[in-house]
mmCIF file of all heavy atoms in Angstrom:
data_model
loop_
_atom_site.group_PDB
_atom_site.id
_atom_site.type_symbol
_atom_site.label_atom_id
_atom_site.label_comp_id
_atom_site.label_asym_id
_atom_site.label_seq_id
_atom_site.Cartn_x
_atom_site.Cartn_y
_atom_site.Cartn_z
ATOM 1 N N CYS A 846 2.871 -10.462 2.537
ATOM 2 C CA CYS A 846 1.814 -9.557 2.082
ATOM 3 C C CYS A 846 0.786 -10.245 1.195
ATOM 4 O O CYS A 846 -0.413 -9.929 1.269
ATOM 5 C CB CYS A 846 2.437 -8.378 1.348
ATOM 6 S SG CYS A 846 3.219 -7.176 2.448
ATOM 7 N N VAL A 847 1.220 -11.153 0.329
ATOM 8 C CA VAL A 847 0.255 -11.834 -0.536
ATOM 9 C C VAL A 847 -0.775 -12.571 0.305
ATOM 10 O O VAL A 847 -1.984 -12.544 0.012
ATOM 11 C CB VAL A 847 0.972 -12.788 -1.515
ATOM 12 C CG1 VAL A 847 -0.031 -13.716 -2.191
ATOM 13 C CG2 VAL A 847 1.734 -11.987 -2.564
ATOM 14 N N GLU A 848 -0.336 -13.209 1.366
ATOM 15 C CA GLU A 848 -1.279 -13.913 2.244
ATOM 16 C C GLU A 848 -2.235 -12.923 2.920
ATOM 17 O O GLU A 848 -3.430 -13.202 3.083
ATOM 18 C CB GLU A 848 -0.515 -14.728 3.289
ATOM 19 C CG GLU A 848 0.121 -15.989 2.746
ATOM 20 C CD GLU A 848 1.263 -15.728 1.774
ATOM 21 O OE1 GLU A 848 2.114 -14.854 2.068
ATOM 22 O OE2 GLU A 848 1.302 -16.380 0.715
ATOM 23 N N ASN A 849 -1.726 -11.746 3.318
ATOM 24 C CA ASN A 849 -2.602 -10.707 3.866
ATOM 25 C C ASN A 849 -3.645 -10.265 2.844
ATOM 26 O O ASN A 849 -4.834 -10.119 3.164
ATOM 27 C CB ASN A 849 -1.779 -9.490 4.294
ATOM 28 C CG ASN A 849 -1.294 -9.570 5.732
ATOM 29 O OD1 ASN A 849 -1.768 -10.389 6.510
ATOM 30 N ND2 ASN A 849 -0.349 -8.722 6.082
ATOM 31 N N PHE A 850 -3.210 -10.022 1.603
ATOM 32 C CA PHE A 850 -4.139 -9.586 0.562
ATOM 33 C C PHE A 850 -5.208 -10.648 0.299
ATOM 34 O O PHE A 850 -6.393 -10.333 0.108
ATOM 35 C CB PHE A 850 -3.388 -9.286 -0.729
ATOM 36 C CG PHE A 850 -2.683 -7.958 -0.767
ATOM 37 C CD1 PHE A 850 -1.443 -7.826 -1.386
ATOM 38 C CD2 PHE A 850 -3.251 -6.831 -0.200
ATOM 39 C CE1 PHE A 850 -0.806 -6.599 -1.435
ATOM 40 C CE2 PHE A 850 -2.621 -5.591 -0.243
ATOM 41 C CZ PHE A 850 -1.383 -5.481 -0.860
ATOM 42 N N LEU A 851 -4.809 -11.911 0.271
ATOM 43 C CA LEU A 851 -5.772 -12.983 0.016
ATOM 44 C C LEU A 851 -6.800 -13.065 1.141
ATOM 45 O O LEU A 851 -8.001 -13.202 0.890
ATOM 46 C CB LEU A 851 -5.052 -14.317 -0.150
ATOM 47 C CG LEU A 851 -4.238 -14.481 -1.434
ATOM 48 C CD1 LEU A 851 -3.435 -15.776 -1.397
ATOM 49 C CD2 LEU A 851 -5.151 -14.467 -2.658
ATOM 50 N N ALA A 852 -6.358 -12.979 2.381
ATOM 51 C CA ALA A 852 -7.273 -13.057 3.512
ATOM 52 C C ALA A 852 -8.214 -11.861 3.546
ATOM 53 O O ALA A 852 -9.427 -12.004 3.779
ATOM 54 C CB ALA A 852 -6.478 -13.150 4.815
ATOM 55 N N GLU A 853 -7.679 -10.653 3.297
ATOM 56 C CA GLU A 853 -8.509 -9.452 3.341
ATOM 57 C C GLU A 853 -9.428 -9.382 2.127
ATOM 58 O O GLU A 853 -10.597 -8.987 2.229
ATOM 59 C CB GLU A 853 -7.624 -8.213 3.423
ATOM 60 C CG GLU A 853 -8.319 -6.953 3.902
ATOM 61 C CD GLU A 853 -8.796 -7.035 5.345
ATOM 62 O OE1 GLU A 853 -8.152 -7.727 6.164
ATOM 63 O OE2 GLU A 853 -9.819 -6.399 5.658
ATOM 64 N N GLY A 854 -8.908 -9.770 0.958
ATOM 65 C CA GLY A 854 -9.725 -9.737 -0.252
ATOM 66 C C GLY A 854 -10.904 -10.687 -0.205
ATOM 67 O O GLY A 854 -11.948 -10.430 -0.809
ATOM 68 N N LEU A 855 -10.747 -11.791 0.516
ATOM 69 C CA LEU A 855 -11.833 -12.765 0.632
ATOM 70 C C LEU A 855 -13.096 -12.134 1.207
ATOM 71 O O LEU A 855 -14.214 -12.519 0.865
ATOM 72 C CB LEU A 855 -11.365 -13.936 1.505
ATOM 73 C CG LEU A 855 -12.286 -15.148 1.589
ATOM 74 C CD1 LEU A 855 -12.463 -15.795 0.216
ATOM 75 C CD2 LEU A 855 -11.714 -16.173 2.577
ATOM 76 N N LYS A 856 -12.922 -11.130 2.059
ATOM 77 C CA LYS A 856 -14.080 -10.439 2.644
ATOM 78 C C LYS A 856 -14.908 -9.722 1.583
ATOM 79 O O LYS A 856 -16.079 -9.417 1.805
ATOM 80 C CB LYS A 856 -13.607 -9.424 3.686
ATOM 81 C CG LYS A 856 -12.815 -10.017 4.833
ATOM 82 C CD LYS A 856 -12.290 -8.921 5.745
ATOM 83 C CE LYS A 856 -11.421 -9.477 6.865
ATOM 84 N NZ LYS A 856 -10.880 -8.401 7.746
ATOM 85 N N TRP A 857 -14.297 -9.442 0.430
ATOM 86 C CA TRP A 857 -14.953 -8.691 -0.641
ATOM 87 C C TRP A 857 -15.167 -9.551 -1.886
ATOM 88 O O TRP A 857 -15.460 -9.020 -2.954
ATOM 89 C CB TRP A 857 -14.114 -7.462 -0.998
ATOM 90 C CG TRP A 857 -13.828 -6.584 0.177
ATOM 91 C CD1 TRP A 857 -12.758 -6.658 1.027
ATOM 92 C CD2 TRP A 857 -14.642 -5.509 0.675
ATOM 93 N NE1 TRP A 857 -12.844 -5.700 2.008
ATOM 94 C CE2 TRP A 857 -13.992 -4.977 1.814
ATOM 95 C CE3 TRP A 857 -15.854 -4.940 0.257
ATOM 96 C CZ2 TRP A 857 -14.514 -3.909 2.544
ATOM 97 C CZ3 TRP A 857 -16.363 -3.876 0.973
ATOM 98 C CH2 TRP A 857 -15.695 -3.361 2.103
ATOM 99 N N GLY A 858 -14.998 -10.847 -1.741
ATOM 100 C CA GLY A 858 -15.205 -11.754 -2.866
ATOM 101 C C GLY A 858 -14.047 -11.790 -3.846
ATOM 102 O O GLY A 858 -14.213 -12.226 -4.990
#
Side-chain angles (χ1 to χ4, degrees):
C846 285
V847 167
E848 285 68 45
N849 271 346
F850 281 143
L851 289 173
E853 198 65 31
L855 188 62
K856 301 175 183 179
W857 305 90

